Each structure stands twice: as structure tokens, then as C-alpha cells.
């Protein structure tokens, strides 16, 4: 139930009745309930347009609002607001619907095919902290769209093709290295060495290029080494996904190699359509939509002189595949802002060539960087990029220390289990709770704190409710009576619970999990406020006690679902 939407629609209908259907009412949730639960925020604009005073206009609007039964009162306040007070009985009825629903009352949307391109690490390299944001923000989006009933196609566009594999294969062959039991760290080291050798050793460079050609032509030996390199890398990556509680599985891997066979045809086709042209042996598409520094149309190379294809060529083919084969209605990319121009160019070319329909929605959900406390890029002491696995190990170690400091009597195994949940959740939540469009400072102490908008705070709030419910010893099916909303903190909590759907729908459009984090934090604090002001277990009237237990159950369910969407686990005890 999307309360904000309902109010917005009621006001819109009132405006249609008075012939102002072009006006979009802006409704916001009020921080101070004394001023109404919700508020119409742009009355002044309309009153200026109509040359009417805001108060007079508000009276006309209020008079024309139908479905008055859901509103307790609707008032005007200076200088130009309409304050909307929702009727408690109506709220209570909505809560009942959510209470018995397995989906917290949230309907499935009209299903679309949505491709989410996320995580997408490169092969023969360990994942580093730069991959964290793409992996976890993309996964939240996949979970939300799944929940809303869409056909979500998770696409892990791994970098598993290109000349670098020629070098690596040549290097392994050269050194007679058995590739069967290599670790990823070793592979990465060899990869760096191979790159250096390529630049100084002509003979090796020639051999590398031969390997690329052989690989392209499906040579058995080269192909099997390549497969091994990919599988060694992905095996490690899946360990990280599992640790991160991310839903990416093997069948979601659709790397660059998938599109390789399409590339020669794409280049020919673009040439035939006069979209691409040959210049000094390379094939280039000039785009007037993008200008270089001297104001000329920018050229995107799609085939090099040596006939090699590029990252852009693959993404053009990938658009075609996702639209024509996967029938995507919407494609969302999670990569940092540096790839924006590249994606937009590939998209423009795919549109020009009619590979995709102009109606296909393309969204690039970019994100900023992780910074250290001195506001510089977050790196190791030696200035190297931090490996994701090292970061996650440190998170768990820190959580172990945190638990031990609390002097628990948990077994060693339980401590480790709990530390895994607390540590990893803290890292994820710290990231997800920041607006993805900005950089953020990575701060261990803050993210592991039990105060503020952190994972431990929300997880703890959940365990507290669970323990209250346990103490009550009333089974859910005995809670038949309706919810009674009297005290302000009760009503506030109820309205917060109702807000969940609005939040979920908003994120499904914008891909901004921080809004959900903020919401869960507010929900947890609303509960704590309610708990301080309304006695639950010791409430004398059984009817009130049951009603408050129901509100507690609804809060717990919403917190759990919200955390689940963030890919964050809950525990019954903390
Ligand atoms: N592998 C790339 C990287 O690590 C990200 C790929 C993003 N997806 C795409 N279709 N280009 O930067």
C-alpha cells in the first residue's frame, strides 16, 4: 500500500475536478505529526499561477477531495501548506491487510525483463574494493525487482576475453607452468609479469599474439588453459559472493567471451550501414553526439589495425544480444562513473544500427569511490589497491574482537558464526547506506557501532523485538483483535510501517539503497520510541497488549524484509 501515492491521487482528483489536471501535487511525510502526517508542499506555486491566495485555494481543494473517510482532518497552515491527518481506524485497517499478507501487502508489478549488469570483475585478477559497490548495490536492485515480480536477468559481465589472455597463456606455456593447481594470487602475479615481458620481448609478444589467434580459432590447448584461468578466478569470486551474501551464481556469468562470435558481423554490418568507416586500417564510428576537446565528433574505434576488437565492440554486441535474444525492456548497469561515456557511446551506436529499440530503457547507476579517513582513495599502506577478500577478513576479525569484548559465553564456533554476520553486514550496510552518487569515507569504528544508522543497530533492534515476542508467549494466530492506535508513538510507528511499499517502489526506479537504509533506521527508532512510551508486555488491557504485539510483529517483519532486500542477515540473538 503506497500511502503517499494514494494521497497524491486524491489531491490530483480534486484538482481535476476544478480543472487543473496539469498540476502535479508534491506530498511529503511530515517530521512533526502535530502538523499532520503528510503535507502538500507546492500549494504556493499553484496559487501564484492562478493568482489566488493560498488559503482560499486550499479551501477549494479540500472541499473537492473525495474518499474523506481515510482522513481525520485536512487543514491549511501558513504560508501555504495543506496538512493531512490520516484517520487511525483507516490506518489500522491497512495494517491488518499487511499483517495477514506474506508480501507485507506489496503487490507484484507488471512484469518486465530487466537485465542487471553488475559485479563484472576481470579474469586473472583478484576482486578489489572497487568491485564492492557494483556487486552489492546491483544485488539489492536484483532482489527488489525480483520481489516485485519482474523477470530479473542477472548479468555478470566478466572481463574474460582479449589480448591479455594471449599473454597469460604464452607465459604459462613458456615457463612450463602447470595450470591445474594454480591459485588466483599466483595467476595475477604471472599476469603482471607477462604484461611486462610483452612490452620488452618481441619474440614473446609475437607468441602472445599467436596464442590470441589460436584462442579465437578454438585451438583445443589454448582454449582449455583459458577455461582453467577463468574457472580458477571465478571459484575465488564465488567464495566472495557467498561471504557477501550476494545472489550471483554460475549461471549468471555472461562475460565478454559470450559476444566474441558476434563481433566480425557487427563490424561488417556497421560498415555496410555507413555508420562505421575505415581510417588508416582501423574501423571507427564517428558520433556527432559526443565532441572531443577541439569540438569535433568523437571517434569510437571498434576494430584495431591488427584486427583486434575492443571493449566498445563487445558492449555494442551485448546491447544487441540483450535486446534481441533476452528481450530486455530495461538494462541497468552498475559501474563507476568513469565508464559512463563508454556506455553511452555503445548505446548510441546500437541505436543507430537499429540493434535496439529507442524504447529500451538504459540506466547507468553510477557510484563514487571509497575513501580513507584522510579523504584519499582507500588503499593499503604501500599504496596498493585493497583486495576485497582481505577487507572482508578484517571485518570478521574486528567483529570477533567486538563480541569477545562483550564477554559472551558463546562457544568459539558460535562467535565465528555471529562475527561473520556482524562483520560482513557492517561493511555492506556502511556502503549501502551512503548515497551511491557520492564518495564516502570508509570508517571501521562507525560501521561497527551499535549506535546510529548502522547494521548492528538495526540488527539489534530486530533481536530485541524478537525477544519481546518470545516473552509474550502469545501465538500469532491468537492475535485476532484489531490494532488500536491511540498514542502518538503508536500512530507514528504505524505510519512508518505503511511507508515501506513507497520506499521499495522508489528504489526500484532509482537504484538507491541508501533510502531503504534510512527508512529502516527510522523504523527502528520509531519502534524504540513506541517501546518507551507504550508498555507492551505489562499492559493491563489485554486488547491493547495484543494490539501492541501485532505492531511489534509488523515492525519485525518489515525490518527483516528490508534487511533481506539489502542482502543482510538477521540473527535471533546478538
Ligand atoms: N569488467 C569491467 C570492469 O571491471 C566492468 C564491466 C561492466 N559491464 C559492461 N557491460 N561493460 O571495469
Amino acid at each position: 500500500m503506497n500511502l503517499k501515492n494514494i494521497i497524491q491521487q486524491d489531491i490530483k482528483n480534486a484538482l481535476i475536478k476544478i480543472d487543473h489536471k496539469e498540476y502535479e501535487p508534491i506530498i511529503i511525510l511530515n517530521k512533526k505529526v502535530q502538523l499532520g502526517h503528510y503535507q502538500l508542499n507546492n500549494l504556493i506555486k499553484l496559487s501564484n499561477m492562478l493568482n489566488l491566495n493560498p488559503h482560499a485555494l486550499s479551501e477549494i481543494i479540500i472541499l473537492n477531495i473525495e474518499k474523506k473517510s481515510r482522513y481525520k482532518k485536512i487543514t491549511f497552515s501558513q504560508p501555504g501548506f495543506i496538512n493531512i491527518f490520516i484517520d487511525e481506524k483507516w490506518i489500522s485497517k491497512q495494517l491488518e491487510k499487511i499483517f495477514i499478507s506474506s508480501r507485507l501487502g506489496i503487490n507484484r508489478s507488471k512484469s518486465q525483463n530487466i537485465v542487471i549488469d553488475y559485479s563484472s570483475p576481470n579474469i586473472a585478477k583478484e576482486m578489489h574494493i572497487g568491485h564492492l559497490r557494483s556487486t552489492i548495490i546491483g544485488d539489492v536492485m536484483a532482489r527488489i525487482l525480483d520481489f516485485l515480480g519482474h523477470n530479473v536477468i542477472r548479468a555478470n559481465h566478466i572481463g574474460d576475453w582479449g589480448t591479455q589472455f594471449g599473454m597469460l597463456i604464452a607465459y604459462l606455456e613458456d615457463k612450463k607452468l602447470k595450470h591445474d593447481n594454480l591459485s588466483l594470487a599466483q595467476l595475477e602475479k604471472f599476469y603482471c609479469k607477462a604484461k611486462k615481458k610483452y612490452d620488452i620481448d618481441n619474440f614473446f609478444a609475437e607468441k602472445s599474439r599467436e596464442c590470441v589467434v589460436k584462442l579465437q580459432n578454438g585451438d583445443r590447448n589454448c582454449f582449455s588453459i583459458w577455461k582453467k584461468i577463468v574457472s580458477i578466478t571465478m571459484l575465488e569470486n564465488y567464495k566472495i559472493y557467498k561471504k557477501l551474501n550476494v545472489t550471483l551464481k554460475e549461471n549468471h556469468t555472461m562475460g565478454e567471451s559470450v559476444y566474441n562470435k558476434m563481433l566480425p558481423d557487427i563490424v561488417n554490418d556497421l560498415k555496410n550501414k555507413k555508420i562505421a568507416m575505415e581510417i588508416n586500417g582501423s574501423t571507427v564510428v564517428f558520433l556527432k553526439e559526443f565532441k572531443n576537446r577541439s569540438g569535433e565528433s568523437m571517434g569510437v574505434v571498434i576494430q584495431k589495425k591488427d584486427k583486434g576488437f575492443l571493449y566498445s565492440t563487445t558492449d555494442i554486441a551485448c546491447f544487441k544480444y540483450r535486446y534481441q535474444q533476452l528481450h530486455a525492456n530495461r538494462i541497468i548497469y552498475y559501474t563507476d562513473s568513469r565508464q559512463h561515456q563508454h556506455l553511452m557511446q555503445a548505446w548510441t551506436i546500437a541505436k543507430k544500427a537499429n540493434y535496439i529499440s529507442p524504447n529500451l530503457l538504459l540506466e547507468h547507476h553510477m557510484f563514487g569511490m571509497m575513501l580513507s579517513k584522510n579523504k584519499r582513495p582507500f588503499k593499503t599502506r604501500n599504496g596498493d589497491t585493497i583486495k576485497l577478500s582481505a577487507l572482508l577478513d578484517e571485518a570478521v576479525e574486528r567483529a570477533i574482537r567486538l563480541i569477545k569484548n562483550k564477554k559472551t559465553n558463546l562457544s568459539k564456533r558460535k562467535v565465528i558464526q555471529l562475527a561473520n554476520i556482524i562483520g560482513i553486514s557492517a561493511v555492506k550496510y556502511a556502503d549501502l547506506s551512503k548515497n551511491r552518487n557520492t564518495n564516502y569515507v570508509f570508517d571501521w569504528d562507525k560501521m561497527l557501532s551499535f549506535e546510529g544508522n548502522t547494521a548492528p543497530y538495526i540488527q539489534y533492534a530486530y533481536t530485541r523485538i524478537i525477544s519481546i515476542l518470545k516473552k509474550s508467549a502469545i501465538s500469532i494466530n491468537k492475535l485476532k483483535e484489531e490494532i488500536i492506535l491511540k498514542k502518538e508513538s503508536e500512530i507514528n510507528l504505524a505510519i512508518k510501517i505503511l511507508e515501506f511499499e513507497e520506499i521499495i517502489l522508489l528504489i526500484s526506479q532509482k537504484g538507491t539503497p541508501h533510502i531503504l537504509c534510512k527508512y529502516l533506521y527510522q523504523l527502528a527508532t520509531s519502534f524504540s520510541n513506541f517501546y518507551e512510551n507504550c508498555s507492551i508486555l505489562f499492559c493491563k488491557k489485554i486488547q491493547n497488549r495484543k494490539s501492541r504485539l501485532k505492531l511489534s510483529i509488523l515492525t519485525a517483519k518489515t525490518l527483516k524484509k528490508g534487511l533481506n532486500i539489502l542482502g543482510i542477515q538477521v540473527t535471533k540473538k546478538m
Side-chain angles (χ1 to χ4, degrees), residues 75-119:
T75 60
F76 169 81
S77 70
Q78 291 293 358
F81 299 105
I82 291 184
N83 304 319
I84 298 145
F85 296 79
I86 322 266
D87 181 69
E88 287 88 24
K89 286 230 172 64
W90 187 81
I91 298 175
S92 159
K93 267 198 202 113
Q94 308 313 310
L95 289 177
E96 294 301 334
K97 287 185 205 157
I98 297 180
F99 192 79
I100 53 168
S101 151
S102 60
R103 303 177 46 84
L104 290 166
I106 301 178
N107 289 331
R108 288 191 172 79
S109 317
K110 195 169 154 262
S111 176
Q112 285 185 316
N113 294 330
I114 306 177
V115 174
I116 309 184
D117 183 314
Y118 70 107
S119 192

Side-chain angles (χ1 to χ4, degrees), residues 116-125 127 131 135 154-162 164-165 226-227 229-235 237-238 241 248-250 252-259 311 314-315 318 322:
I116 309 184
D117 183 314
Y118 70 107
S119 192
S120 310
N122 293 328
I123 292 302
K125 287 183 192 165
M127 281 173 84
H131 294 110
T135 306
R154 290 163 170 80
N156 195 355
H157 190 88
I158 58 171
D160 61 354
W161 205 251
Q164 68 271 34
F165 292 98
W226 170 79
K227 269 210 110 147
I229 296 171
V230 175
S231 97
I232 291 171
T233 314
M234 289 314 285
L235 213 67
N237 291 347
Y238 288 119
Y241 293 152
L248 279 172
K249 297 275 155 10
E250 260 146 273
H252 302 131
T253 296
M254 285 190 256
E256 293 178 24
S257 62
V258 170
Y259 312 99
Y311 187 50
T314 306
D315 268 318
C318 180
R322 288 174 181 174

Side-chain angles (χ1 to χ4, degrees), residues 89-300:
K89 286 230 172 64
W90 187 81
I91 298 175
S92 159
K93 267 198 202 113
Q94 308 313 310
L95 289 177
E96 294 301 334
K97 287 185 205 157
I98 297 180
F99 192 79
I100 53 168
S101 151
S102 60
R103 303 177 46 84
L104 290 166
I106 301 178
N107 289 331
R108 288 191 172 79
S109 317
K110 195 169 154 262
S111 176
Q112 285 185 316
N113 294 330
I114 306 177
V115 174
I116 309 184
D117 183 314
Y118 70 107
S119 192
S120 310
N122 293 328
I123 292 302
K125 287 183 192 165
E126 288 186 69
M127 281 173 84
H128 57 80
I129 55 162
H131 294 110
L132 182 71
R133 305 204 82 181
S134 169
T135 306
I136 64 178
I137 303 176
D139 203 53
V140 171
M141 200 55 170
R143 285 170 185 261
I144 285 203
L145 295 170
D146 252 347
F147 174 60
L148 290 176
H150 293 290
N151 173 30
V152 175
I153 303 163
R154 290 163 170 80
N156 195 355
H157 190 88
I158 58 171
D160 61 354
W161 205 251
T163 43
Q164 68 271 34
F165 292 98
M167 295 176 207
L168 187 52
I169 294 170
Y171 190 87
L172 295 177
E173 295 254 274
D174 212 36
K175 299 269 174 221
K176 305 231 172 339
L177 287 161
K178 276 252 176 301
H179 44 263
D180 274 343
N181 30 28
L182 286 177
S183 70
L184 178 55
Q186 280 170 316
L187 263 186
E188 184 162 356
K189 222 182 276 155
F190 295 148
Y191 175 52
C192 291
K193 286 188 176 165
K195 249 164 87 181
K196 280 197 189 118
K197 201 169 158 75
Y198 184 89
D199 289 334
I200 51 170
D201 181 343
N202 280 337
F203 181 72
F204 178 74
E206 190 48 42
K207 203 173 159 211
S208 302
R209 281 192 286 270
E210 274 168 25
C211 277
V212 177
V213 177
K214 278 201 209 157
L215 186 62
Q216 300 260 19
N217 295 336
D219 172 89
R220 266 179 117 180
N221 183 40
C222 282
F223 190 75
S224 91
I225 302 176
W226 170 79
K227 269 210 110 147
K228 194 73 214 173
I229 296 171
V230 175
S231 97
I232 291 171
T233 314
M234 289 314 285
L235 213 67
E236 285 304 311
N237 291 347
Y238 288 119
K239 281 186 202 155
I240 292 187
Y241 293 152
K242 191 160 175 226
K243 242 191 183 160
L244 277 173
N245 193 24
V246 155
T247 54
L248 279 172
K249 297 275 155 10
E250 260 146 273
N251 56 324
H252 302 131
T253 296
M254 285 190 256
E256 293 178 24
S257 62
V258 170
Y259 312 99
N260 178 55
K261 283 201 189 76
M262 295 168 69
L263 305 185
D265 286 345
I266 295 263
V267 172
N268 278 336
D269 187 50
L270 290 174
K271 275 189 196 158
N272 289 339
K273 289 181 174 151
K274 304 265 179 291
I275 296 170
M277 57 169 107
E278 232 174 87
I279 293 201
N280 302 331
S282 344
T283 310
V284 188
V285 178
F286 285 97
L287 294 173
K288 61 174 181 344
E289 296 84 348
F290 299 83
K291 300 277 186 237
N292 63 20
R293 280 204 201 108
S294 18
E296 298 151 348
S297 293
M298 212 182 245
V300 179

Side-chain angles (χ1 to χ4, degrees), residues 282-335:
S282 344
T283 310
V284 188
V285 178
F286 285 97
L287 294 173
K288 61 174 181 344
E289 296 84 348
F290 299 83
K291 300 277 186 237
N292 63 20
R293 280 204 201 108
S294 18
E296 298 151 348
S297 293
M298 212 182 245
V300 179
V301 182
I302 54 169
Q303 188 165 28
K304 290 185 287 188
K305 242 191 226 148
D306 66 8
K307 300 292 160 222
F309 301 106
L310 292 104
Y311 187 50
S312 330
T313 333
T314 306
D315 268 318
I316 298 168
C318 180
F319 272 121
K320 185 172 188 225
Y321 181 83
R322 288 174 181 174
Y323 182 68
Q324 298 184 0
Q325 308 294 319
L326 303 179
H327 309 290
N329 307 109
R330 181 179 178 197
I331 309 180
I332 314 174
Y333 287 85
Y334 287 91
T335 60

Side-chain angles (χ1 to χ4, degrees), residues 5 8-9 11-12 15-16 20-27 40-43 45-46 49:
N5 226 348
Q8 208 153 11
Q9 204 50 53
I11 295 191
K12 197 144 175 90
L15 289 164
I16 292 173
H20 293 296
K21 67 163 187 271
E22 70 292 343
Y23 181 72
E24 272 307 318
I26 297 177
I27 304 293
L40 171 71
N41 240 15
N42 53 346
L43 181 71
K45 205 170 152 201
L46 182 66
M49 256 159 50

